[in-house]
Amino acid sequence: MSEHSDFQELRDGDVSVALTASELDVASIVSSVKSPKAGAVVLFAGTTRDNFDGKPVAHLEYSAYAPLALKTMLRIAQSVKQKYALTAVTLIHRLGVVPIGEESILIAVSAAHRHAAWKGGEEALELCKEKVEVWKLEEFAGDAGRVWKANRDGTSGVQVDAGT
């Protein structure tokens, strides 16, 4: 495991997963999966939007149990690589505050053909959302408050008191 003050990574051959507090670099993630064997590279970039359920979002804040989250991410990446005969897989999730318009997760996969890359990338995303030990705090603008939730689509979460 590679570990810097704000960057933790696990690698297994052409599979790489990481957690970082730094801004995500789309170009480097795409570059990490490129290969002369791959005719397709697919990138998913999940960004912080400015609203949820009709409420204005100020920012998101992600936290994780890093040792377990990295192991879960690695298992997911290895699984989709094998299932779809992918050439390479990189998953990286940002932790800490993620402002509006910035990426919180990047998933890049490469494969010999586009169909495998599309399917593998989509499955990697859905499994990350379902299984990885990452939680987010949605901070709403104004006096709309804050909500902790598992990192899942469309869930309402639990309201957090102003002093919490």
Side-chain angles (χ1 to χ4, degrees), residues 113-125:
H113 303 285
R114 69 181 179 274
H115 183 74
W118 278 117
K119 292 292 190 182
E122 181 180 30
E123 187 165 316
L125 170 65

Side-chain angles (χ1 to χ4, degrees), residues 23-24 26 87 105 119 139 159:
E23 195 169 328
L24 302 182
V26 171
T87 305
I105 187 169
K119 292 292 190 182
E139 183 80 37
Q159 185 75 30

Side-chain angles (χ1 to χ4, degrees), residues 24-34 43 106 108:
L24 302 182
D25 181 357
V26 171
S28 72
I29 299 305
V30 170
S31 179
S32 75
V33 298
K34 283 190 170 182
L43 169 74
L106 296 176

Side-chain angles (χ1 to χ4, degrees), residues 35-156:
S35 166
K37 297 175 181 146
V41 171
V42 170
L43 169 74
F44 173 81
T47 60
T48 301
R49 64 179 176 268
D50 66 0
N51 69 86
F52 178 77
D53 208 20
K55 293 186 271 186
V57 172
H59 65 263
L60 300 178
E61 185 173 347
Y62 291 90
S63 63
Y65 178 58
L68 188 55
L70 286 165
K71 288 177 185 173
T72 301
M73 290 169 72
L74 186 63
R75 279 195 306 273
I76 289 167
Q78 291 167 325
S79 172
V80 297
K81 183 178 186 290
Q82 181 178 358
K83 181 176 180 178
Y84 294 99
L86 301 175
T87 305
V89 179
T90 297
L91 312 175
I92 185 166
H93 204 299
R94 187 167 169 189
L95 301 177
V97 173
V98 181
I100 303 299
E102 291 188 16
E103 291 81 13
S104 56
I105 187 169
L106 296 176
I107 296 174
V109 303
S110 60
H113 303 285
R114 69 181 179 274
H115 183 74
W118 278 117
K119 292 292 190 182
E122 181 180 30
E123 187 165 316
L125 170 65
E126 296 307 326
L127 289 171
C128 281
K129 299 284 272 179
E130 179 184 332
K131 297 181 181 292
V132 176
E133 295 79 4
V134 171
W135 301 272
K136 70 179 168 184
L137 177 65
E138 286 187 334
E139 183 80 37
F140 296 106
D143 60 356
R146 306 181 295 168
V147 175
W148 272 110
K149 58 173 72 174
N151 195 18
R152 313 282 185 271
D153 284 337
T155 58
S156 296

